[in-house]
Amino acid sequence: MTTTDAVSKDPDSTPEWLTSHIRDGRGRKRGAKINDRQQRPPVIADVARLAGVSVPTVSRVLTGAARVTPDKRERVLAAIAELNYRPSPTARLLVTRRSRIIAVIAGQTSQYGYAETIRGIEEAARADGYTVTITVVESADEESVDRAVSHLLDQRADGIAVLKFDPPGVAALNKLPANVPVVAISGVRGKSVPQAVLDETHAAESLTNYLLDLGHKTVHHVRVPPSRREDGRTTGWRRALKTSGIVDVPAPFEATWHPESGRLIGREIAQDPSVTAVFCGNDEIAMGVIKGLTESGRRVPEDVSVVGFDDHPLARLWTPAITTVDQNFVELGKRAFGLLRTAMAGESGPKFSSALPELVIRESAAPPGESVASSE
Amino acid sequence: MTTTDAVSKDPDSTPEWLTSHIRDGRGRKRGAKINDRQQRPPVIADVARLAGVSVPTVSRVLTGAARVTPDKRERVLAAIAELNYRPSPTARLLVTRRSRIIAVIAGQTSQYGYAETIRGIEEAARADGYTVTITVVESADEESVDRAVSHLLDQRADGIAVLKFDPPGVAALNKLPANVPVVAISGVRGKSVPQAVLDETHAAESLTNYLLDLGHKTVHHVRVPPSRREDGRTTGWRRALKTSGIVDVPAPFEATWHPESGRLIGREIAQDPSVTAVFCGNDEIAMGVIKGLTESGRRVPEDVSVVGFDDHPLARLWTPAITTVDQNFVELGKRAFGLLRTAMAGESGPKFSSALPELVIRESAAPPGESVASSE
DNA sequence: CTGAAAGCGCTAACAT
DNA sequence: ATGTTAGCGCTTTCAG
């Protein structure tokens, strides 16, 4: 598969071919003009000359595209080793018309879920010989999106992965041309392009039902900036309430991505004794909410139950440990790359990949109006 | 699933985009006519033809390398817009030998400091028309490093930024050829290559002194995996102790990057009543340590003071709010790009950029053996 | 099987 | 200022 295999296939493949680039770089600063002939990296013609064969023949052993006499093959390999030759990916790509680049476009990159998803994509891509580039869309306004998309398109990536977790991501997806393979990554199923999903609607429904089953009369919701009018978490929450016959669905609180906003909301919620259960859009917001609640004198979970979403690494360390839903973002990213790969290959494979996050029950939720024994 | 194999009636599903990129390239050599024009991405020759000028003229308006008559210039621009033409970075690279790509290589990408630093690099790079790629070095073992470096080199980046926060990063840096501009990013000053730094040695020293000034007899240290034998945080801590005349510097506890490891250490520390102050390698570890301590019955900061490093967004939300040091990683990334830029330009600018993180005093540290009024 | 010839899409050198 | 002519380093016909 990987085109470089031909070279590395050689049993005594030289690990030095890595260092071949080192040439005398260090000292060149001052002198500046020693014999430049030595400097130039070897090209395929050099190999051909040294091996006494034609350029295409070298190419053949490189790519394995056609068979070559063992004899010549040996000589070529020897020449490659001697010169420390490495084929130029650029020249290759020019004729192949593929860049082996996967471009990721996202509204942000360092938030937990985003960073992990990108990590998954990168791992899968690298294993497959692809390079991944990152482009950030600062906001959903047109100029910002256009600039980012333009930057993205300039890279001529073989495939594009869009993190449509938020409005900038959605906006970017809508601006993408139809002639390049695209995969969308999100929490709810879209329609037009292949998509890798963590079924948060379903997960949110389970989580809300869990709270309801604990005996709470209703469940309030603090949501993170939704990707569209309503994201999966909100939908699942709403659905659970409706299914349980709750007609008066309380208006959700609107948080930002910053945990501190959860804290403010927590303080606000603390003023309303009728609130006994809160489902937060993610764990970090849940931490903020818990902080706001406790610093206002409400106990969690004795007075108010709070649950999060994602299973952030710190969720289990929080006090109380946060009940949440486990989102495997790394695996999500890998699935996305898989989808993209079949799309790039032009194969008709599945265009949709979904996984159901699992409920992780810890200590931040309990029956209403009761005290629970803090585990252990 | 959507297996509507009906030909082409469904307006929403775009089955063609999947196959469009297959473009019948194979047999196109001779025919090359009719609607082939629609399928193939426009190339510079198409623009030239449509604008009624020569190819180099188009190239000139593209690169701005030479002046072009306003008239022709307009026509070229119009043609570019009409065809939605984008120059092939690959073809350009082949001749100019510059890719406008900055490659980032790192041991990991989603940990707070890493993600933020990468974000800073990306922001600065994008603003300057560069694209950034990410390559992860899984571990410091030779094979892993060689593979990553090889992958990196294949990208033909104009410049490389190495996050040498950890052993894989350091190992990668050492394997990089000297003929491509490199900038290292870390917490301690290195020697050979340009480097952007957050002076953690100094910051750690201040933090430790802060604890000492509070009255603690000594300060224990939980360190995250060091980039080399000893990283800046550990050095600064040790220096502060020695400067204060403390001869018996306690052996540091070794944590992993995972906060859970801090928890285990916290439990361990809880067994030793002589420990009254702990300086943790980062905030997440501090959170783990605090958790381990409190679940073992020790109060923070009444019984034990714990401080972290980085000013993670959740540090202020933790209970108690964590005293730490503010590391501006985004700005660090931006400074790194700046250094790289001058290096790529071949200019001789500063090769080193340092910033001093500031102490952020919150609630997790207090004088030993006393109770502090939890703020408000 | 193998070499000669023909590009891939673009920019750099030359001529005007 | 602009068109012509050459490549960049590699893979792909296409003969033989």
Side-chain angles (χ1 to χ4, degrees):
Chain A
M1 286 300 171
T2 340
T3 40
T4 49
D5 274 351
V7 177
S8 50
K9 195 175 300 172
D10 186 21
D12 49 16
S13 81
T14 62
E16 319 109 35
W17 71 320
L18 270 177
T19 55
S20 68
H21 295 248
I22 298 188
R23 335 193 182 288
D24 65 346
R26 304 277 181 192
R28 207 175 51 76
K29 292 294 181 216
R30 278 193 299 257
K33 51 168 126 198
I34 328 286
N35 19 347
D36 261 313
R37 210 182 50 230
Q38 308 278 18
Q39 306 272 13
R40 195 204 47 179
V43 298
I44 196 171
D46 299 325
V47 176
R49 201 173 308 123
L50 182 58
V53 301
S54 72
V55 166
T57 295
V58 176
S59 175
R60 286 177 189 116
V61 354
L62 245 25
T63 62
R67 271 188 322 197
V68 175
T69 316
D71 165 45
K72 304 203 165 182
R73 187 189 163 73
E74 284 312 315
R75 275 152 50 203
V76 168
L77 257 15
I80 287 176
E82 177 171 345
L83 295 176
N84 259 320
Y85 166 79
R86 300 191 67 183
S88 153
T90 310
R92 269 190 173 166
L93 296 178
L94 184 59
V95 33
T96 321
R97 295 156 141 212
R98 294 186 312 130
S99 62
R100 289 205 81 86
I101 283 179
I102 299 298
V104 173
I105 182 163
Q108 42 169 313
T109 58
S110 52
Q111 182 81 16
Y112 176 65
Y114 290 79
E116 291 281 289
T117 304
I118 293 170
R119 177 154 79 91
I121 297 173
E122 195 275 343
E123 275 179 25
R126 178 160 37 87
D128 212 26
Y130 282 85
T131 288
V132 359
T133 70
I134 309 278
T135 301
V136 172
V137 214
E138 305 274 5
S139 83
D141 70 66
E142 185 150 6
E143 193 206 326
S144 179
V145 173
D146 285 350
R147 207 170 38 227
V149 168
S150 171
H151 183 87
L152 182 79
L153 262 20
D154 279 345
Q155 300 166 210
R156 291 291 187 95
D158 289 342
I160 300 175
V162 183
L163 266 54
K164 51 178 283 242
F165 291 147
D166 49 27
V170 174
L173 178 59
N174 292 334
K175 287 270 191 173
L176 254 24
N179 60 359
V180 45
V182 171
V183 63
I185 303 174
S186 74
V188 288
R189 175 163 193 169
K191 52 301 110 139
S192 52
V193 302
Q195 188 151 168
V197 159
L198 280 171
D199 188 353
E200 24 175 78
T201 306
H202 216 94
E205 198 173 349
S206 308
L207 196 49
T208 306
N209 280 331
Y210 167 71
L211 255 14
L212 258 15
D213 290 347
L214 243 26
H216 295 276
K217 295 276 178 282
T218 190
V219 174
H220 289 254
H221 178 43
V222 178
R223 68 179 191 178
V224 287
S227 58
R228 38 186 67 216
R229 216 188 52 224
E230 185 165 301
D231 64 24
R233 283 167 277 219
T234 303
T235 303
W237 159 74
R238 192 186 301 282
R239 188 186 295 165
L241 293 192
K242 293 222 164 128
T243 303
S244 294
I246 295 170
V247 189
D248 253 9
V249 176
F253 295 86
E254 309 282 348
T256 68
W257 286 106
H258 200 95
E260 198 67 29
S261 75
R263 181 185 204 164
L264 266 25
I265 292 170
R267 289 179 185 159
E268 191 183 336
I269 291 177
Q271 307 311 314
D272 181 354
S274 77
V275 178
T276 66
V278 183
F279 159 43
C280 300
N282 71 34
D283 291 333
E284 286 151 289
I285 295 300
M287 294 172 194
V289 168
I290 292 175
K291 180 71 174 182
L293 244 17
T294 54
E295 71 188 348
S296 302
R298 307 278 289 169
R299 294 165 305 164
V300 176
E302 293 83 350
D303 301 325
V304 184
S305 286
V306 177
V307 300
F309 213 86
D310 288 356
D311 198 14
H312 187 286
L314 292 171
R316 70 174 59 193
L317 285 179
W318 203 262
T319 302
I322 297 175
T323 290
T324 185
V325 128
D326 163 41
Q327 303 242 90
N328 194 334
F329 290 109
V330 173
E331 190 254 348
L332 174 67
K334 291 186 172 174
R335 282 189 283 124
F337 178 77
L339 250 24
L340 198 48
R341 212 171 100 97
T342 72
M344 291 186 303
E347 296 163 9
S348 57
K351 303 204 182 353
F352 186 71
S353 160
S354 184
L356 183 58
E358 251 177 75
L359 198 56
V360 180
I361 296 178
R362 292 204 267 251
E363 308 164 353
S364 65
E370 280 184 33
S371 201
V372 288
S374 174
S375 86
E376 146 249 18
Chain B
M1 279 267 179
T2 22
T3 354
T4 332
D5 277 346
V7 190
S8 59
K9 192 65 200 75
D10 188 3
D12 190 58
S13 83
T14 10
E16 317 127 14
W17 77 264
L18 247 181
T19 50
S20 69
H21 72 289
I22 297 183
R23 42 184 139 275
D24 57 345
R26 305 287 177 193
R28 198 174 52 77
K29 286 305 177 218
R30 285 197 216 288
K33 41 188 78 135
I34 322 294
N35 44 16
D36 188 63
R37 209 179 50 224
Q38 310 279 13
Q39 306 281 0
R40 189 202 50 194
V43 298
I44 198 171
D46 299 323
V47 175
R49 201 173 309 123
L50 182 57
V53 300
S54 72
V55 166
T57 295
V58 176
S59 174
R60 290 191 264 258
V61 352
L62 245 26
T63 61
R67 271 186 326 195
V68 174
T69 315
D71 165 45
K72 301 202 166 182
R73 189 189 161 71
E74 284 310 316
R75 275 152 51 202
V76 168
L77 257 17
I80 287 176
E82 177 172 343
L83 295 176
N84 218 314
Y85 166 78
R86 287 170 186 283
S88 153
T90 308
R92 269 189 171 164
L93 170 55
L94 186 58
V95 34
T96 62
R97 287 141 187 280
R98 297 199 314 119
S99 60
R100 290 203 79 84
I101 283 179
I102 299 299
V104 173
I105 183 162
Q108 42 169 314
T109 59
S110 52
Q111 181 83 12
Y112 175 66
Y114 291 78
E116 292 281 290
T117 304
I118 293 170
R119 177 154 81 89
I121 297 173
E122 195 276 340
E123 276 179 25
R126 179 159 38 88
D128 211 27
Y130 281 85
T131 289
V132 0
T133 69
I134 308 280
T135 300
V136 173
V137 215
E138 305 275 5
S139 83
D141 69 67
E142 184 150 5
E143 192 207 324
S144 180
V145 173
D146 284 351
R147 208 171 36 225
V149 169
S150 172
H151 183 87
L152 183 78
L153 262 21
D154 276 346
Q155 300 166 207
R156 294 300 199 259
D158 289 342
I160 299 176
V162 184
L163 266 53
K164 50 178 283 240
F165 291 147
D166 49 27
V170 174
L173 179 58
N174 292 333
K175 286 273 192 170
L176 290 180
N179 61 356
V180 45
V182 170
V183 63
I185 304 174
S186 74
V188 289
R189 176 159 194 169
K191 44 314 88 159
S192 53
V193 302
Q195 188 151 169
V197 158
L198 279 171
D199 188 352
E200 26 175 76
T201 306
H202 216 95
E205 197 173 350
S206 308
L207 197 49
T208 306
N209 280 330
Y210 168 71
L211 290 171
L212 258 15
D213 290 346
L214 243 26
H216 294 276
K217 296 276 179 282
T218 188
V219 174
H220 290 254
H221 179 42
V222 178
R223 68 179 192 177
V224 288
S227 56
R228 37 187 69 215
R229 216 190 51 225
E230 183 165 302
D231 64 24
R233 283 166 278 217
T234 302
T235 304
W237 158 76
R238 190 186 304 279
R239 187 186 298 165
L241 293 192
K242 294 222 163 128
T243 304
S244 292
I246 296 170
V247 189
D248 251 9
V249 176
F253 295 85
E254 309 281 349
T256 69
W257 285 107
H258 200 97
E260 197 67 29
S261 75
R263 183 185 202 160
L264 266 26
I265 292 170
R267 288 181 186 156
E268 190 182 339
I269 292 177
Q271 308 310 315
D272 180 353
S274 76
V275 178
T276 67
V278 183
F279 160 41
C280 300
N282 72 33
D283 291 332
E284 287 150 289
I285 294 300
M287 295 173 194
V289 168
I290 293 175
K291 181 71 175 182
L293 243 17
T294 55
E295 70 188 349
S296 302
R298 308 278 289 169
R299 293 164 307 164
V300 175
E302 294 83 352
D303 301 325
V304 184
S305 286
V306 178
V307 300
F309 214 86
D310 288 356
D311 198 14
H312 187 286
L314 292 171
R316 68 173 62 193
L317 286 179
W318 199 261
T319 302
I322 297 174
T323 289
T324 183
V325 128
D326 164 40
Q327 303 243 88
N328 195 335
F329 290 109
V330 173
E331 190 254 347
L332 174 67
K334 291 186 173 175
R335 281 190 283 124
F337 178 77
L339 250 25
L340 198 48
R341 213 170 98 97
T342 72
M344 292 186 302
E347 298 164 7
S348 57
K351 304 217 177 337
F352 186 70
S353 160
S354 184
L356 183 59
E358 251 178 75
L359 198 56
V360 180
I361 295 177
R362 292 204 266 251
E363 308 166 352
S364 64
E370 280 184 34
S371 198
V372 288
S374 173
S375 86
E376 142 244 21

